[in-house]
């Protein structure tokens, strides 16, 4: 999977926006204003940070040693950095969904209702 495919999958999820809050090289994806993914656009090989359940993060890091690592410049407990071109595309999509779902699961009832109302 390349960075444009990663971007397209993220941006097509409900309630997602993309922005550059840190600099012009770091693309951040937010669902209803809450960050669930980011990518350094100039990093080679392509990398992305995704939120992850801490237990699952440890299992993934062991199973994909060197291609899934603790989150670069992020909480090492809750974020993983993925070398997206070196991983099976299906796995990357599943981990994007996992990150998105983790963030949405922490929403207030009001924010969940607002997200649900989007088409």
């Amino acid at each position: 999977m390349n960075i444009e495919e990663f971007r397209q999958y993220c941006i097509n999820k409900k309630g997602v926006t993309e922005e550059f809050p840190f600099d012009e090289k770091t693309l951040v994806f937010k669902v209803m204003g809450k960050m669930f993914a980011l990518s350094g656009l100039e990093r080679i090989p392509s990398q992305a940070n995704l939120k992850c359940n801490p237990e699952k993060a440890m299992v993934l890091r062991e199973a994909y040693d060197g291609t899934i690592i603790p989150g670069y410049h992020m909480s090492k407990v809750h974020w993983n950095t993925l070398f997206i071109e070196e991983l099976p595309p299906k796995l990357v999509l599943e981990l994007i969904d996992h990150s998105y779902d983790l963030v949405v699961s922490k929403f207030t009832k009001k924010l969940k209702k607002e997200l649900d109302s989007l088409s």
Side-chain angles (χ1 to χ4, degrees):
M1 169 177 289
N2 64 41
I3 197 64
E4 183 53 35
E5 292 167 324
F6 178 89
R7 180 192 163 271
Q8 199 61 47
Y9 189 78
C10 287
I11 198 67
N12 284 331
K13 297 187 83 53
K14 187 188 278 192
V16 171
T17 57
E18 60 182 341
E19 56 188 72
F20 293 90
F22 307 118
D23 57 38
E24 66 281 351
K25 301 172 193 170
T26 307
L27 180 59
V28 175
F29 298 92
K30 295 180 177 181
V31 54
M32 306 300 288
K34 303 292 183 185
M35 183 169 57
F36 75 95
L38 62 127
S39 179
L41 297 178
E42 294 183 353
R43 298 196 61 89
I44 298 175
S46 297
Q47 299 170 31
N49 286 6
L50 295 171
K51 196 162 190 133
C52 192
N53 170 289
E55 293 80 25
K56 182 174 184 158
M58 297 301 291
V59 170
L60 288 165
R61 292 171 194 169
E62 288 178 19
Y64 297 93
D65 188 33
T67 54
I68 298 180
I69 61 174
Y72 180 71
H73 283 302
M74 306 292 282
S75 164
K76 308 296 187 234
V77 174
H78 298 282
W79 289 85
N80 280 332
T81 296
L82 286 64
F83 292 83
I84 62 172
E85 293 169 352
E86 299 172 28
L87 292 165
K90 183 179 178 187
L91 175 65
V92 176
L93 298 179
E94 288 171 7
L95 294 176
I96 292 169
D97 291 343
H98 177 67
S99 181
Y100 178 92
D101 293 343
L102 274 176
V103 172
V104 169
S105 74
K106 301 293 183 188
F107 283 178
T108 62
K109 287 181 185 178
K110 180 181 176 187
L111 204 52
K112 282 181 185 176
K113 186 175 181 181
E114 192 177 327
L115 177 63
D116 289 343
S117 73
L118 298 176
S119 54

